[in-house]
Amino acid sequence: MFKNRSSSAEWHEDRNTDSATLTTTSASTMISRRSRFTSFCLGFILGITMTLLLLNVYFYNATPSATSLEPVVHDNYATREPHELRPHESRVEHTEPEDAELKTEMRKNVRILCWIMTTSANTYNKAMHVNATWASRCNKHIFFSANESSGLPSVKLNISDGRNYLWWKTKEAFKYLYENELDNYDYFLKADDDTYVIVENLRLMLMPYSPEDPLYFGCRFKPFTKQGYMSGGAGYILSREGLRRFVEDSNPKNCKAANTGAEDAEMGKCLDKVGVKAVDTRDSLGRHRMLPFSPTPTFRPTSVFQGGSLHTCTTPTTRNSTLVSAAAITWSPSTTCLLRRCRLWTTSSTA
């Protein structure tokens, strides 16, 4: 009896020992598997990290090839202030030879003098940005009348600033161009210091015409004369013959002698009487190329065309954003912010 109890105790002891051994083995196996999985994960992460670091170092130290398409700037004029630019210089470099060749030919064949009406007060917050962006793309540009200390190409008219004197300034500016520049250029663009002009599109529009014909281009409003008048804000263009007739035939019978009045309306009435034809500048689809609005609202459907200023303009019956031509030329008013953004863009494109 005692012997059986002893054997039973030994059997239970062996069984407990086997169970403990099995438990220890299982735990060791699980720990081993977890360790291998952890090591795999750490190795995978470390490998990706090292690969990314090596790629970053490689590309950072890579030297651009000699065939790079980036524009090469041979001068530091991209960093100059606007008044330090010479009239023929532009901040934009062109890398496509065909494009540059076409623009050169157009510049030779459609010669445009741009004159910009400004004031001493607007010289540094508006005229400077016009000078640094679109104005240098004209064959020549002149400001009437910028602050003399600004270094901008400017002519002083000795006329008081203010809206009441715009007609006077316009007459004197065109008279100056007639006396000094008539035979040097084909067309004469008048713009304000808050107008933005895409000069390349302007040349494309003018190419089919002759400067020897008495012509007048702009955003045409209907009132005052049979052929209407062009918006002053959107800018307008006189052909060489149009400028000659305006100055030589603008006697008091044809044009307002007093120096006050709405500049664009008086200009339209005067040109109509001296036989200068107002040209419809819309494209072949009837869409406007010269706009007396800022760019932002013109691309919002029905925002400015429905019940807005263009109700008096030569617009088709449908008034929405499809009336803006794909080859638009001018916008006005262009905010100082917009002109600064354009200036920054043209500068960065040469960096």
Side-chain angles (χ1 to χ4, degrees):
M1 179 175 166
F2 290 104
K3 184 177 180 180
N4 290 336
R5 286 181 181 176
S6 176
S7 298
S8 178
E10 290 175 2
W11 180 81
H12 284 292
E13 185 179 348
D14 291 340
R15 187 175 180 182
N16 291 336
T17 301
D18 292 341
S19 298
T21 302
L22 182 61
T23 301
T24 303
T25 303
S26 300
S28 300
T29 302
M30 290 178 65
I31 291 172
S32 177
R33 288 177 179 173
R34 287 178 181 174
S35 297
R36 285 199 297 271
F37 180 74
T38 302
S39 299
F40 172 78
C41 291
L42 289 174
F44 181 76
I45 293 170
L46 182 61
I48 290 178
T49 303
M50 291 301 295
T51 302
L52 292 174
L53 285 172
L54 289 172
L55 287 173
N56 186 50
V57 170
Y58 173 78
F59 285 112
Y60 180 79
N61 293 322
T63 303
S65 65
T67 59
S68 171
L69 294 179
E70 288 297 316
V72 179
V73 180
H74 299 287
D75 191 10
N76 67 342
Y77 63 79
T79 59
R80 295 187 211 158
E81 285 300 310
H83 63 273
E84 296 176 319
L85 291 175
R86 292 185 288 275
H88 67 280
E89 291 180 334
S90 170
R91 293 185 183 273
V92 180
E93 292 285 325
H94 302 287
T95 58
E96 305 87 346
E98 299 86 358
D99 184 50
E101 190 174 326
L102 174 62
K103 289 180 179 179
T104 301
E105 285 302 309
M106 289 178 62
R107 191 180 179 97
K108 288 179 182 176
N109 292 304
V110 185
R111 300 172 301 167
I112 303 173
L113 186 148
C114 303
W115 73 270
I116 301 99
M117 188 181 294
T118 189
T119 65
S120 295
N122 286 345
T123 298
Y124 292 98
N125 65 347
K126 289 186 178 180
M128 278 290 190
H129 302 299
V130 169
N131 185 67
T133 51
W134 64 266
S136 60
R137 294 169 187 165
C138 306
N139 293 80
K140 182 175 182 177
H141 64 283
I142 303 173
F143 291 89
F144 292 87
S145 308
N147 190 311
E148 291 180 330
S149 64
S150 66
L152 296 177
S154 177
V155 172
K156 190 171 180 60
L157 293 177
N158 294 315
I159 297 173
S160 300
D161 292 332
R163 293 189 63 83
N164 290 335
Y165 303 104
L166 294 182
W167 174 229
W168 188 6
K169 289 181 77 171
T170 299
K171 289 190 292 183
E172 292 302 312
F174 275 122
K175 183 179 178 182
Y176 173 90
L177 297 179
Y178 169 81
E179 293 173 349
N180 295 278
E181 304 286 2
L182 182 67
D183 295 325
N184 298 330
Y185 301 95
D186 304 312
Y187 297 95
F188 300 84
L189 164 71
K190 177 266 170 186
D192 292 336
D193 55 16
D194 60 356
T195 303
Y196 192 87
V197 183
I198 301 177
V199 180
E200 292 79 4
N201 287 350
L202 175 58
R203 286 196 174 98
L204 282 172
M205 182 188 74
L206 294 174
M207 280 185 73
Y209 299 94
S210 169
E212 303 308 319
D213 294 329
L215 303 174
Y216 169 44
F217 304 82
C219 180
R220 187 165 56 165
F221 286 179
K222 290 180 178 179
F224 304 126
T225 71
K226 264 189 177 181
Q227 65 174 8
Y229 73 97
M230 304 301 181
S231 163
Y236 50 83
I237 306 101
L238 295 182
S239 65
R240 186 189 302 118
E241 177 61 16
L243 174 59
R244 188 192 65 77
R245 291 196 185 190
F246 173 67
V247 175
E248 293 182 3
D249 300 338
S250 59
N251 54 60
K253 184 180 177 181
N254 295 327
C255 306
K256 185 177 180 180
N259 293 323
T260 57
E263 161 249 334
D264 48 6
E266 295 300 333
M267 191 75 181
K269 290 186 281 187
C270 176
L271 292 176
D272 181 54
K273 290 180 180 178
V274 298
V276 178
K277 180 184 177 183
V279 180
D280 187 349
T281 59
R282 290 176 295 170
D283 65 18
S284 59
L285 299 177
R287 301 175 301 184
H288 287 275
R289 287 188 278 203
M290 303 185 71
L291 294 148
F293 306 113
S294 179
T296 304
T298 56
F299 291 101
R300 291 177 187 159
T302 70
S303 61
V304 294
F305 297 98
Q306 195 168 48
S309 300
L310 286 186
H311 263 234
T312 59
C313 207
T314 52
T315 59
T317 54
T318 304
R319 295 180 174 88
N320 56 41
S321 62
T322 59
L323 291 181
V324 179
S325 175
I329 296 170
T330 63
W331 284 275
S332 179
S334 294
T335 62
T336 301
C337 181
L338 173 68
L339 288 171
R340 284 174 178 165
R341 284 177 181 173
C342 291
R343 177 180 175 182
L344 289 171
W345 181 86
T346 54
T347 302
S348 64
S349 67
T350 61

